[in-house]
Amino acid sequence: MKNFNNFLAESKNTHMTHIEDLVLDGGVKGARQAILALRSMRDMLSGNAKAPMDITVKWDGAPALFAGEDPETGEFFVAKKGIFAKKKAIYRNHAEIDADTSGDLNKKLKLAYDYLKPLGIKGIIQGDFMFEKKDLKKEKINGESHITFHPNTIVYAVPTKSQIGKEISKAELGIVWHTTYSGGTLETMRAEFGKEIVPKLKKSSKVWMVDATLRDLSGTATLTAQDSLDISKKLSDAGKIFKKIASGALKEIEKNKELNLIINVYNNTKVREGQRISNTKSHATGLVMFVNNRYAKEIDKRSTQKGKDIQIQKRDELLDFFSKQNIKNLKLIFDLQNLIIDSKLIIINKLNKLSKIDTFVKTKNGFKVTGVEGFVAIDRLEGGAVKLVDRMEFSTNNFSKDIIKGWDNPG
């Protein structure tokens, strides 16, 4: 059976596609890859892996952090996501951090510089900053004392007396590593996912570090026989629907940036509301009204008739896509996405049970159990990656005003 590849269009790990969005963003190839990826994961978690694959956990940390050696000078540095911008934001000392940052980010970058430099990092690695010492709290959850840290939406908790709890308590900062980079210059660097990073670094009690990769999954029968049958049925149905979608429609959505953006934004309005797209026919026809309303606002913003006419022309060019036949194609596309989501959720629910650290969200009434942010599936042969996130759960938590975030004032 074929394995999936080339999920990540960018050479740098600064953005990753949701598996169901490959249908929109990757066209015919993307839709096929999404189905193949889920088949590969099903086989791996059923103990019948045919293609080597790694799964990594997405941790809800901040900021994204890079550290390592400047490939041209060999000098140690830390960096944020601007590492790959034209004006590279890399910091070789405290003075450079002070010159470009302030506040909490400034402090975290200095801590990272001081405590990561002695670890002997070779090349460049990327991870998520999870906590510094002052972020750690002792809280009772279900009557038991836990060490918690809360970088963003998700609260991570471990029993205070556990081995992990003791290690975290001693640390000055916590990092989860997930990506390595290789290349002669920053411009030519290529990302590699799923590699073990921590075993290659010098140990330090001041830095709590883990790799994001879940090891030893291949050949582990995590899925039940019924789970495997359920996924197989959904993917079979997905394949049948895929064959009915006009390739021209998929190609147009992939290539037309404005059309692609509109459909993704439209779908995300449902995600933010915590709603699944249940009536795909109604959702498809509703896109026309969404386009009209979106451009009506843009037209109203323009003070000159010339400016208004430009927006009217853009709207009309976009509306040309929404023929009767393409409305049918859109319905099929949303049906296909739903089957991919259904299959993805079965896999996510199984992977969530493998976590060694409990995850919660914090409300005014206490802690509420939630899953991890998500997972990343990596083709070990091709190096491509795609993310699997329960968007109904995580995005609802992320946008909900009832959920206390890590950056919120406790009062």
Side-chain angles (χ1 to χ4, degrees), residues 246-358:
S247 60
L250 285 169
K251 288 176 183 176
E252 178 67 15
I253 293 170
E254 177 191 8
K255 301 298 182 185
N256 187 326
K257 290 183 179 180
E258 183 63 17
L259 177 62
N260 182 284
L261 174 66
I262 287 282
I263 298 174
N264 273 299
V265 169
Y266 179 60
N267 285 352
N268 282 333
T269 59
K270 292 290 186 184
V271 172
R272 288 189 176 220
E273 293 168 359
Q275 297 179 15
R276 283 288 300 270
I277 301 168
S278 53
N279 188 332
T280 53
K281 182 177 180 180
S282 175
H283 190 67
T285 55
L287 247 172
V288 176
M289 183 180 294
F290 183 79
V291 170
N292 278 310
N293 290 341
R294 186 178 173 91
Y295 273 93
K297 293 176 184 177
E298 293 300 318
I299 293 165
D300 287 343
K301 289 179 186 177
R302 275 41 181 194
S303 57
T304 66
Q305 188 57 46
K306 182 179 179 181
K308 291 178 184 294
D309 288 342
I310 290 172
Q311 295 304 312
I312 290 169
Q313 183 179 352
K314 286 183 178 179
R315 178 201 64 194
D316 291 346
E317 287 174 355
L318 201 62
L319 288 173
D320 283 343
F321 172 81
F322 296 93
S323 63
K324 187 175 180 180
Q325 186 56 45
N326 274 342
I327 292 292
K328 291 180 180 178
N329 283 318
L330 281 167
K331 179 199 179 302
L332 292 171
I333 287 170
F334 298 143
D335 286 336
L336 175 56
Q337 285 189 303
N338 274 345
L339 287 166
I340 290 171
I341 291 168
D342 289 341
S343 302
K344 172 188 77 172
L345 289 176
I346 296 173
I347 291 169
I348 287 175
N349 288 335
K350 291 299 176 181
L351 292 175
N352 270 329
K353 295 177 182 178
L354 301 177
S355 178
K356 294 179 180 178
I357 294 184
D358 294 330

Side-chain angles (χ1 to χ4, degrees), residues 49-295:
K50 295 180 178 68
M53 179 181 290
D54 287 319
I55 303 287
T56 68
V57 182
K58 281 181 64 62
W59 291 69
D60 188 30
L65 183 71
F66 297 78
E69 303 170 311
D70 185 323
E72 297 179 57
T73 67
E75 198 171 359
F76 178 79
F77 71 88
V78 293
K80 51 185 181 177
K81 279 192 176 179
I83 181 175
F84 298 121
K86 286 186 178 180
K87 184 181 177 183
K88 300 174 187 64
I90 66 173
Y91 312 111
R92 304 173 192 86
N93 49 56
H94 281 209
E96 291 183 350
I97 295 172
D98 285 334
D100 191 48
T101 66
S102 60
D104 190 57
L105 176 61
N106 177 278
K107 184 181 179 184
K108 282 180 166 55
L109 286 170
K110 286 180 179 177
L111 283 169
Y113 181 86
D114 291 342
Y115 289 107
L116 298 182
K117 189 174 182 180
L119 300 184
I121 298 171
K122 300 297 182 184
I124 297 174
I125 55 180
Q126 179 186 352
D128 291 306
F129 195 109
M130 301 306 298
F131 65 82
E132 58 177 288
K133 181 72 98 177
K134 73 175 182 62
D135 298 328
L136 298 177
K137 294 181 173 60
K138 276 191 178 182
E139 304 192 66
K140 281 207 169 184
I141 301 175
N142 296 327
E144 183 180 2
S145 176
H146 283 72
I147 298 288
T148 68
F149 48 99
H150 190 185
N152 273 317
T153 300
I154 293 175
V155 178
Y156 295 90
V158 295
T160 305
K161 295 181 180 180
S162 67
Q163 183 59 37
I164 296 177
K166 292 173 183 177
E167 291 171 2
I168 288 174
S169 296
K170 293 177 183 177
E172 295 294 330
L173 73 159
I175 307 275
V176 175
W177 300 113
H178 52 71
T179 309
T180 62
Y181 291 88
S182 59
T185 66
L186 291 174
E187 290 80 7
T188 59
M189 289 241 154
R190 300 290 299 182
E192 292 183 82
F193 313 96
K195 285 195 169 185
E196 284 191 327
I197 296 173
V198 173
K200 298 176 182 177
L201 304 179
K202 294 178 183 177
K203 291 184 179 180
S204 169
S205 61
K206 301 295 185 183
V207 183
W208 179 77
M209 300 182 292
V210 294
D211 288 322
T213 302
L214 294 172
R215 290 292 166 192
D216 302 322
L217 288 183
S218 186
T220 301
T222 306
L223 291 177
T224 65
Q226 188 58 53
D227 290 332
S228 296
L229 285 173
D230 288 346
I231 293 175
S232 297
K233 175 65 167 62
K234 292 180 190 303
L235 293 181
S236 175
D237 291 343
K240 292 172 185 175
I241 289 173
F242 175 46
K243 291 177 181 178
K244 294 179 182 178
I245 302 170
S247 60
L250 285 169
K251 288 176 183 176
E252 178 67 15
I253 293 170
E254 177 191 8
K255 301 298 182 185
N256 187 326
K257 290 183 179 180
E258 183 63 17
L259 177 62
N260 182 284
L261 174 66
I262 287 282
I263 298 174
N264 273 299
V265 169
Y266 179 60
N267 285 352
N268 282 333
T269 59
K270 292 290 186 184
V271 172
R272 288 189 176 220
E273 293 168 359
Q275 297 179 15
R276 283 288 300 270
I277 301 168
S278 53
N279 188 332
T280 53
K281 182 177 180 180
S282 175
H283 190 67
T285 55
L287 247 172
V288 176
M289 183 180 294
F290 183 79
V291 170
N292 278 310
N293 290 341
R294 186 178 173 91
Y295 273 93

Side-chain angles (χ1 to χ4, degrees), residues 364-389:
K364 293 176 182 178
N365 298 318
F367 292 99
K368 175 184 168 186
V369 174
T370 190
V372 300
E373 181 186 342
F375 300 90
V376 177
I378 304 141
D379 183 329
R380 212 181 296 161
L381 292 178
E382 302 292 340
V386 65
K387 61 185 176 184
L388 290 81
V389 176

